Amino acid sequence: MTRTAQRRTVEKVAVRPMQAPPPAGDRRRRRLTDQLRAYGFLLGGLVCFALFSWYPAIRAVVIAFQKYTPGSDPEWVGTANFTRVFADPEFAAAWRNTLTFTLLALLIGFAIPFVLALVLNELRHAKAFFRVVVYLPVMIPPVVSALLWKWFYDPGTGLANETLRFLHLPTSNWSNGADTALISLVIVATWANMGGTVLIYLAALQSIPGELYEAAELDGANLLQRIRHVTIPQTRFVILMLMLLQIIATMQAFTEPFVITGGGPENATVTVLYLIYKYAFLYNDFGGACALSVLLLALLGAFSAVYLRLTRTEGEGA
Amino acid sequence: MTTRTLVSPATLARPRGRAVYWSVFTGTVLLFTLAFLFPVYWMATGAMKSPDEVARTPPTVVPEQWHLSGYTDAWDLMQLPAHLWNTVVQAAGAWVFQLVFCTAAAYALSRLRPVFGKVVLGGILATLMVPAQALVVPKYLTVSDLGLLNDPLAIWLPAVANAFNLYLLKRFFDQLPRDVLEAAEIDGAGKLRTLWSIVLPMSRPVLGVVSIFALVAVWQDFLWPLMVFSDTDKQPISVALVQLSQNIPLTVLIASMVIASIPMVAMFLVFQRHIIAGIGAGSSKG
């Protein structure tokens, strides 16, 4: 789109006579009004960032060291919030669940889209159908996806067990069993979010030069070797970025556990963000909630920093 | 027609290659239909079964009798029009606020050379490192201190603090040819006039992308509206669905789920080409 815009511009400018720059005396006065005007344009955005990004980030750290209940004066308590939160048996469970969830989401939610994208890239028919259909679940509100799967997972009449019965396979407790709940949630998350990943992979696969495959084939590389030595190295960067993005996203899982399992059974699906929510809105303990937030923030901030550094260097290199 | 991929055209042209291709193709079509279309079909038709049929084992694939009462009950009993309207107001407001303030800020950072512009941009980009959900509690306290709980402004204003969209706009403005903007200035257009009549019309593609991101984000969000709208009448449909899901008949709940999905799915089907192209293009640029 910029190409045509640019061409139009060139024509416009070419017919315009050159004009002299404004005299030097005006410049100083103009500089101040320029600055005022610039900050006028920035104002709305700056206020919003200050109130809802910068200030909360600082505030999280401050409140983490306070006893904070809305309505009464905050009181400094040192690291008491952290020690209390650490001592909570749910703390270990929440971290274990979150990390397992992330790991499973990485294994399942990562391998499947990759294979799907590889297959889709080879298919020469009905491309639009595949792209639209795979992205459809992404457009369904996450709450609806979660409720939908909660219904599928119903041990009595749910579709999941009906399908297993139809295939004469043993049925499962799905989201109602302590040992299967977490993986059931990973399936929902994968189903709901895989569309974006598949489309991004597809774009990356299409940018691989065909000559590389040709050369590999001439060298006698078979299908798997071509994937191993051409496809994966060529898309290495996208793979890495999507992995980081997925880690950052799944570590903030909330909707699925909240809607489908309510954190149960036996705390098997309490995630860190869910625990933060519980501290704030069930226990009315905002100090504890902020202590947990700071821990989550520190961990995810590290991943985000790596992600941003990678995108920036790659962007400049290209 | 296309460039060469993993499998060479020569291999595909052989009879064995063709057989493999068509079986993989059929398999993929079946898999996609079952995995992605069938659940949606199941939801849309489940709402039309009778309460007793929906709970039956084994389930029926096609409803024996088509009842529309699930949908009409959902519409009336669940106060869906009110909750849908809340969602529309929240999404539309967030969209307008984001377009106005993010565009103005991005234009200032890109074109107006404010002193400390780099510092401001750095501060904005730094928020990309802070995952949004991890900050919801202090953000909630701030909104509560400002007296914005149960007010759509609690959705609209934080939506402006979206570093990703702002950066997207700024990068696009950076690329606009300098000559055009200078020409406008020489013709006597002020900064606002230049933004409105030159920059914005040239930025239609990026404005489209930002608009879609803004709308989808609000429509799909759950945790934030759950926190800030304790008042049932103000809740968007996502929150209302979960709150009400406990005590209503299954068919009515399913019908409500379908109704809640329709706006975004419809938007996707209308703009699919742009949305899909945007996802692909955005990622390969990195």
Side-chain angles (χ1 to χ4, degrees), chain A residues 2 4 13 37-38 41 55 58 82 88 91 131 146 160 170 172 174 185 223 231 251 259 273-274 300:
Chain A
T2 39
T4 51
V13 170
R37 200 182 292 133
F41 275 94
Y55 178 52
I58 299 166
F82 287 94
D88 184 345
F91 178 81
R131 281 177 201 188
S172 163
W174 298 107
L185 298 190
L223 189 71
T231 315
M251 290 205 65
V259 174
L273 193 59
Y274 195 1
L300 291 182

PDB file of all heavy atoms in Angstrom, chain A residues 2 4 13 37-38 41 55 58 82 88 91 131 146 160 170 172 174 185 223 231 251 259 273-274 300:
ATOM      1  N   THR A   2       2.031   1.167   0.636  1.00  0.00           N
ATOM      2  CA  THR A   2       2.854   2.371   0.706  1.00  0.00           C
ATOM      3  C   THR A   2       3.470   2.686  -0.642  1.00  0.00           C
ATOM      4  O   THR A   2       3.726   3.835  -0.932  1.00  0.00           O
ATOM      5  CB  THR A   2       3.976   2.214   1.741  1.00  0.00           C
ATOM      6  OG1 THR A   2       4.465   0.905   1.651  1.00  0.00           O
ATOM      7  CG2 THR A   2       3.475   2.505   3.130  1.00  0.00           C
ATOM      8  N   THR A   4       2.189   2.605  -3.700  1.00  0.00           N
ATOM      9  CA  THR A   4       1.383   3.511  -4.515  1.00  0.00           C
ATOM     10  C   THR A   4       1.294   4.872  -3.859  1.00  0.00           C
ATOM     11  O   THR A   4       1.356   5.891  -4.543  1.00  0.00           O
ATOM     12  CB  THR A   4      -0.033   2.957  -4.730  1.00  0.00           C
ATOM     13  OG1 THR A   4      -0.539   2.621  -3.444  1.00  0.00           O
ATOM     14  CG2 THR A   4      -0.050   1.782  -5.652  1.00  0.00           C
ATOM     15  N   VAL A  13       4.777  16.251  -5.098  1.00  0.00           N
ATOM     16  CA  VAL A  13       5.860  17.108  -4.648  1.00  0.00           C
ATOM     17  C   VAL A  13       6.613  17.676  -5.845  1.00  0.00           C
ATOM     18  O   VAL A  13       7.044  18.823  -5.834  1.00  0.00           O
ATOM     19  CB  VAL A  13       6.791  16.330  -3.705  1.00  0.00           C
ATOM     20  CG1 VAL A  13       8.050  17.132  -3.430  1.00  0.00           C
ATOM     21  CG2 VAL A  13       6.058  16.033  -2.422  1.00  0.00           C
ATOM     22  N   ARG A  37       2.425  21.924  21.643  1.00  0.00           N
ATOM     23  CA  ARG A  37       1.511  21.203  20.770  1.00  0.00           C
ATOM     24  C   ARG A  37       1.800  19.704  20.818  1.00  0.00           C
ATOM     25  O   ARG A  37       0.900  18.887  20.948  1.00  0.00           O
ATOM     26  CB  ARG A  37       1.652  21.731  19.353  1.00  0.00           C
ATOM     27  CG  ARG A  37       0.464  21.402  18.499  1.00  0.00           C
ATOM     28  CD  ARG A  37       0.661  21.900  17.089  1.00  0.00           C
ATOM     29  NE  ARG A  37       0.668  23.348  16.992  1.00  0.00           N
ATOM     30  CZ  ARG A  37       1.585  24.041  16.306  1.00  0.00           C
ATOM     31  NH1 ARG A  37       2.583  23.420  15.717  1.00  0.00           N
ATOM     32  NH2 ARG A  37       1.515  25.336  16.234  1.00  0.00           N
ATOM     33  N   ALA A  38       3.093  19.351  20.760  1.00  0.00           N
ATOM     34  CA  ALA A  38       3.458  17.933  20.792  1.00  0.00           C
ATOM     35  C   ALA A  38       2.924  17.283  22.059  1.00  0.00           C
ATOM     36  O   ALA A  38       2.344  16.191  22.028  1.00  0.00           O
ATOM     37  CB  ALA A  38       4.975  17.781  20.703  1.00  0.00           C
ATOM     38  N   PHE A  41      -0.803  16.664  22.053  1.00  0.00           N
ATOM     39  CA  PHE A  41      -1.167  15.421  21.380  1.00  0.00           C
ATOM     40  C   PHE A  41      -0.876  14.203  22.260  1.00  0.00           C
ATOM     41  O   PHE A  41      -1.576  13.207  22.213  1.00  0.00           O
ATOM     42  CB  PHE A  41      -0.395  15.288  20.062  1.00  0.00           C
ATOM     43  CG  PHE A  41      -1.040  15.995  18.902  1.00  0.00           C
ATOM     44  CD1 PHE A  41      -0.683  17.287  18.564  1.00  0.00           C
ATOM     45  CD2 PHE A  41      -2.005  15.352  18.145  1.00  0.00           C
ATOM     46  CE1 PHE A  41      -1.277  17.942  17.491  1.00  0.00           C
ATOM     47  CE2 PHE A  41      -2.598  15.991  17.074  1.00  0.00           C
ATOM     48  CZ  PHE A  41      -2.241  17.293  16.743  1.00  0.00           C
ATOM     49  N   TYR A  55       1.956   3.559  37.147  1.00  0.00           N
ATOM     50  CA  TYR A  55       1.629   3.641  38.565  1.00  0.00           C
ATOM     51  C   TYR A  55       1.287   2.260  39.158  1.00  0.00           C
ATOM     52  O   TYR A  55       1.844   1.893  40.204  1.00  0.00           O
ATOM     53  CB  TYR A  55       0.505   4.665  38.767  1.00  0.00           C
ATOM     54  CG  TYR A  55       0.029   4.812  40.170  1.00  0.00           C
ATOM     55  CD1 TYR A  55       0.927   5.053  41.219  1.00  0.00           C
ATOM     56  CD2 TYR A  55      -1.319   4.711  40.479  1.00  0.00           C
ATOM     57  CE1 TYR A  55       0.477   5.189  42.515  1.00  0.00           C
ATOM     58  CE2 TYR A  55      -1.772   4.855  41.781  1.00  0.00           C
ATOM     59  CZ  TYR A  55      -0.876   5.084  42.791  1.00  0.00           C
ATOM     60  OH  TYR A  55      -1.312   5.214  44.068  1.00  0.00           O
ATOM     61  N   ILE A  58       4.425   0.241  39.944  1.00  0.00           N
ATOM     62  CA  ILE A  58       5.128   0.671  41.158  1.00  0.00           C
ATOM     63  C   ILE A  58       4.306   0.291  42.390  1.00  0.00           C
ATOM     64  O   ILE A  58       4.816  -0.225  43.380  1.00  0.00           O
ATOM     65  CB  ILE A  58       5.345   2.203  41.115  1.00  0.00           C
ATOM     66  CG1 ILE A  58       6.195   2.557  39.900  1.00  0.00           C
ATOM     67  CG2 ILE A  58       5.971   2.698  42.402  1.00  0.00           C
ATOM     68  CD1 ILE A  58       6.178   4.029  39.568  1.00  0.00           C
ATOM     69  N   PHE A  82       5.021 -11.825  51.986  1.00  0.00           N
ATOM     70  CA  PHE A  82       5.705 -12.889  51.244  1.00  0.00           C
ATOM     71  C   PHE A  82       5.764 -14.159  52.070  1.00  0.00           C
ATOM     72  O   PHE A  82       5.478 -15.247  51.572  1.00  0.00           O
ATOM     73  CB  PHE A  82       7.110 -12.430  50.840  1.00  0.00           C
ATOM     74  CG  PHE A  82       7.096 -11.419  49.735  1.00  0.00           C
ATOM     75  CD1 PHE A  82       7.113 -10.060  50.001  1.00  0.00           C
ATOM     76  CD2 PHE A  82       7.043 -11.833  48.409  1.00  0.00           C
ATOM     77  CE1 PHE A  82       7.084  -9.136  48.976  1.00  0.00           C
ATOM     78  CE2 PHE A  82       7.020 -10.909  47.376  1.00  0.00           C
ATOM     79  CZ  PHE A  82       7.043  -9.557  47.662  1.00  0.00           C
ATOM     80  N   ASP A  88       1.410 -20.629  52.494  1.00  0.00           N
ATOM     81  CA  ASP A  88       0.111 -21.134  52.050  1.00  0.00           C
ATOM     82  C   ASP A  88       0.311 -22.407  51.219  1.00  0.00           C
ATOM     83  O   ASP A  88       1.047 -22.381  50.230  1.00  0.00           O
ATOM     84  CB  ASP A  88      -0.554 -20.033  51.208  1.00  0.00           C
ATOM     85  CG  ASP A  88      -1.961 -20.402  50.779  1.00  0.00           C
ATOM     86  OD1 ASP A  88      -2.328 -21.591  50.871  1.00  0.00           O
ATOM     87  OD2 ASP A  88      -2.691 -19.487  50.361  1.00  0.00           O
ATOM     88  N   PHE A  91       0.043 -22.108  47.556  1.00  0.00           N
ATOM     89  CA  PHE A  91       1.107 -21.424  46.828  1.00  0.00           C
ATOM     90  C   PHE A  91       1.906 -22.410  45.981  1.00  0.00           C
ATOM     91  O   PHE A  91       2.064 -22.239  44.767  1.00  0.00           O
ATOM     92  CB  PHE A  91       2.015 -20.700  47.819  1.00  0.00           C
ATOM     93  CG  PHE A  91       3.185 -20.000  47.187  1.00  0.00           C
ATOM     94  CD1 PHE A  91       3.035 -18.756  46.596  1.00  0.00           C
ATOM     95  CD2 PHE A  91       4.447 -20.588  47.186  1.00  0.00           C
ATOM     96  CE1 PHE A  91       4.114 -18.109  46.019  1.00  0.00           C
ATOM     97  CE2 PHE A  91       5.526 -19.952  46.608  1.00  0.00           C
ATOM     98  CZ  PHE A  91       5.359 -18.705  46.024  1.00  0.00           C
ATOM     99  N   ARG A 131      -7.795 -22.035   6.559  1.00  0.00           N
ATOM    100  CA  ARG A 131      -7.403 -20.870   7.354  1.00  0.00           C
ATOM    101  C   ARG A 131      -8.554 -20.322   8.169  1.00  0.00           C
ATOM    102  O   ARG A 131      -8.389 -19.962   9.327  1.00  0.00           O
ATOM    103  CB  ARG A 131      -6.884 -19.772   6.436  1.00  0.00           C
ATOM    104  CG  ARG A 131      -5.489 -20.073   6.029  1.00  0.00           C
ATOM    105  CD  ARG A 131      -4.965 -19.065   5.066  1.00  0.00           C
ATOM    106  NE  ARG A 131      -3.863 -19.694   4.372  1.00  0.00           N
ATOM    107  CZ  ARG A 131      -3.069 -19.056   3.551  1.00  0.00           C
ATOM    108  NH1 ARG A 131      -3.262 -17.792   3.312  1.00  0.00           N
ATOM    109  NH2 ARG A 131      -2.094 -19.702   2.973  1.00  0.00           N
ATOM    110  N   ALA A 146     -14.671 -22.047  27.113  1.00  0.00           N
ATOM    111  CA  ALA A 146     -14.519 -22.752  28.379  1.00  0.00           C
ATOM    112  C   ALA A 146     -15.831 -23.425  28.767  1.00  0.00           C
ATOM    113  O   ALA A 146     -15.846 -24.606  29.142  1.00  0.00           O
ATOM    114  CB  ALA A 146     -14.068 -21.778  29.468  1.00  0.00           C
ATOM    115  N   ALA A 160     -17.287 -35.744  25.204  1.00  0.00           N
ATOM    116  CA  ALA A 160     -15.977 -36.380  25.301  1.00  0.00           C
ATOM    117  C   ALA A 160     -16.114 -37.857  25.660  1.00  0.00           C
ATOM    118  O   ALA A 160     -15.552 -38.732  24.991  1.00  0.00           O
ATOM    119  CB  ALA A 160     -15.112 -35.644  26.320  1.00  0.00           C
ATOM    120  N   PRO A 170     -12.122 -46.756  27.267  1.00  0.00           N
ATOM    121  CA  PRO A 170     -12.508 -46.407  28.640  1.00  0.00           C
ATOM    122  C   PRO A 170     -12.772 -44.908  28.757  1.00  0.00           C
ATOM    123  O   PRO A 170     -12.088 -44.099  28.135  1.00  0.00           O
ATOM    124  CB  PRO A 170     -11.290 -46.818  29.470  1.00  0.00           C
ATOM    125  CG  PRO A 170     -10.171 -46.941  28.515  1.00  0.00           C
ATOM    126  CD  PRO A 170     -10.758 -47.278  27.189  1.00  0.00           C
ATOM    127  N   SER A 172     -13.222 -41.186  30.846  1.00  0.00           N
ATOM    128  CA  SER A 172     -12.317 -40.475  31.747  1.00  0.00           C
ATOM    129  C   SER A 172     -13.119 -39.477  32.584  1.00  0.00           C
ATOM    130  O   SER A 172     -14.248 -39.139  32.244  1.00  0.00           O
ATOM    131  CB  SER A 172     -11.263 -39.744  30.914  1.00  0.00           C
ATOM    132  OG  SER A 172     -10.639 -38.758  31.685  1.00  0.00           O
ATOM    133  N   TRP A 174     -12.048 -36.480  32.974  1.00  0.00           N
ATOM    134  CA  TRP A 174     -11.724 -35.197  32.370  1.00  0.00           C
ATOM    135  C   TRP A 174     -11.479 -34.132  33.427  1.00  0.00           C
ATOM    136  O   TRP A 174     -10.710 -34.363  34.341  1.00  0.00           O
ATOM    137  CB  TRP A 174     -12.824 -34.775  31.377  1.00  0.00           C
ATOM    138  CG  TRP A 174     -12.956 -35.741  30.246  1.00  0.00           C
ATOM    139  CD1 TRP A 174     -13.963 -36.637  30.062  1.00  0.00           C
ATOM    140  CD2 TRP A 174     -12.041 -35.948  29.164  1.00  0.00           C
ATOM    141  NE1 TRP A 174     -13.740 -37.376  28.925  1.00  0.00           N
ATOM    142  CE2 TRP A 174     -12.570 -36.968  28.358  1.00  0.00           C
ATOM    143  CE3 TRP A 174     -10.814 -35.362  28.789  1.00  0.00           C
ATOM    144  CZ2 TRP A 174     -11.934 -37.425  27.202  1.00  0.00           C
ATOM    145  CZ3 TRP A 174     -10.183 -35.820  27.629  1.00  0.00           C
ATOM    146  CH2 TRP A 174     -10.742 -36.837  26.861  1.00  0.00           C
ATOM    147  N   LEU A 185      -7.705 -28.964  30.710  1.00  0.00           N
ATOM    148  CA  LEU A 185      -7.662 -27.513  30.479  1.00  0.00           C
ATOM    149  C   LEU A 185      -6.679 -27.167  29.364  1.00  0.00           C
ATOM    150  O   LEU A 185      -6.926 -26.247  28.576  1.00  0.00           O
ATOM    151  CB  LEU A 185      -7.271 -26.769  31.754  1.00  0.00           C
ATOM    152  CG  LEU A 185      -8.213 -26.900  32.943  1.00  0.00           C
ATOM    153  CD1 LEU A 185      -7.822 -25.916  34.029  1.00  0.00           C
ATOM    154  CD2 LEU A 185      -9.653 -26.673  32.533  1.00  0.00           C
ATOM    155  N   LEU A 223      12.076 -36.740   3.260  1.00  0.00           N
ATOM    156  CA  LEU A 223      11.112 -35.779   3.802  1.00  0.00           C
ATOM    157  C   LEU A 223      11.496 -35.302   5.204  1.00  0.00           C
ATOM    158  O   LEU A 223      11.559 -34.103   5.473  1.00  0.00           O
ATOM    159  CB  LEU A 223       9.727 -36.431   3.818  1.00  0.00           C
ATOM    160  CG  LEU A 223       8.572 -35.486   4.143  1.00  0.00           C
ATOM    161  CD1 LEU A 223       8.317 -34.533   3.009  1.00  0.00           C
ATOM    162  CD2 LEU A 223       7.321 -36.298   4.453  1.00  0.00           C
ATOM    163  N   THR A 231      13.395 -26.878   6.984  1.00  0.00           N
ATOM    164  CA  THR A 231      12.227 -26.191   7.552  1.00  0.00           C
ATOM    165  C   THR A 231      12.520 -25.631   8.931  1.00  0.00           C
ATOM    166  O   THR A 231      12.300 -24.449   9.189  1.00  0.00           O
ATOM    167  CB  THR A 231      11.043 -27.165   7.634  1.00  0.00           C
ATOM    168  OG1 THR A 231      10.962 -27.885   6.424  1.00  0.00           O
ATOM    169  CG2 THR A 231       9.758 -26.401   7.873  1.00  0.00           C
ATOM    170  N   MET A 251       1.237 -18.772  31.294  1.00  0.00           N
ATOM    171  CA  MET A 251       1.504 -18.572  32.722  1.00  0.00           C
ATOM    172  C   MET A 251       0.494 -17.613  33.349  1.00  0.00           C
ATOM    173  O   MET A 251       0.428 -17.485  34.555  1.00  0.00           O
ATOM    174  CB  MET A 251       2.922 -18.066  32.937  1.00  0.00           C
ATOM    175  CG  MET A 251       3.909 -19.166  32.622  1.00  0.00           C
ATOM    176  SD  MET A 251       5.471 -19.022  33.449  1.00  0.00           S
ATOM    177  CE  MET A 251       5.028 -19.212  35.137  1.00  0.00           C
ATOM    178  N   VAL A 259     -13.554 -20.906  35.022  1.00  0.00           N
ATOM    179  CA  VAL A 259     -14.871 -21.275  34.496  1.00  0.00           C
ATOM    180  C   VAL A 259     -15.095 -22.779  34.561  1.00  0.00           C
ATOM    181  O   VAL A 259     -16.169 -23.242  34.935  1.00  0.00           O
ATOM    182  CB  VAL A 259     -15.018 -20.779  33.036  1.00  0.00           C
ATOM    183  CG1 VAL A 259     -16.302 -21.283  32.420  1.00  0.00           C
ATOM    184  CG2 VAL A 259     -14.971 -19.255  32.987  1.00  0.00           C
ATOM    185  N   LEU A 273      -2.365 -16.928  38.776  1.00  0.00           N
ATOM    186  CA  LEU A 273      -3.252 -15.783  38.611  1.00  0.00           C
ATOM    187  C   LEU A 273      -4.570 -16.006  39.357  1.00  0.00           C
ATOM    188  O   LEU A 273      -5.139 -15.081  39.932  1.00  0.00           O
ATOM    189  CB  LEU A 273      -3.520 -15.537  37.123  1.00  0.00           C
ATOM    190  CG  LEU A 273      -4.166 -14.205  36.804  1.00  0.00           C
ATOM    191  CD1 LEU A 273      -3.332 -13.042  37.277  1.00  0.00           C
ATOM    192  CD2 LEU A 273      -4.431 -14.079  35.322  1.00  0.00           C
ATOM    193  N   TYR A 274      -5.025 -17.239  39.372  1.00  0.00           N
ATOM    194  CA  TYR A 274      -6.239 -17.564  40.101  1.00  0.00           C
ATOM    195  C   TYR A 274      -6.033 -17.325  41.600  1.00  0.00           C
ATOM    196  O   TYR A 274      -6.912 -16.800  42.290  1.00  0.00           O
ATOM    197  CB  TYR A 274      -6.606 -19.036  39.831  1.00  0.00           C
ATOM    198  CG  TYR A 274      -8.010 -19.409  40.220  1.00  0.00           C
ATOM    199  CD1 TYR A 274      -8.882 -18.481  40.757  1.00  0.00           C
ATOM    200  CD2 TYR A 274      -8.485 -20.703  40.025  1.00  0.00           C
ATOM    201  CE1 TYR A 274     -10.177 -18.820  41.090  1.00  0.00           C
ATOM    202  CE2 TYR A 274      -9.766 -21.058  40.354  1.00  0.00           C
ATOM    203  CZ  TYR A 274     -10.607 -20.108  40.895  1.00  0.00           C
ATOM    204  OH  TYR A 274     -11.887 -20.452  41.235  1.00  0.00           O
ATOM    205  N   LEU A 300       7.740 -13.432  34.637  1.00  0.00           N
ATOM    206  CA  LEU A 300       7.292 -13.181  33.267  1.00  0.00           C
ATOM    207  C   LEU A 300       8.058 -12.024  32.633  1.00  0.00           C
ATOM    208  O   LEU A 300       8.304 -12.033  31.430  1.00  0.00           O
ATOM    209  CB  LEU A 300       5.795 -12.884  33.250  1.00  0.00           C
ATOM    210  CG  LEU A 300       4.924 -14.080  33.582  1.00  0.00           C
ATOM    211  CD1 LEU A 300       3.463 -13.713  33.496  1.00  0.00           C
ATOM    212  CD2 LEU A 300       5.217 -15.220  32.629  1.00  0.00           C
TER     213      LEU A 300
END
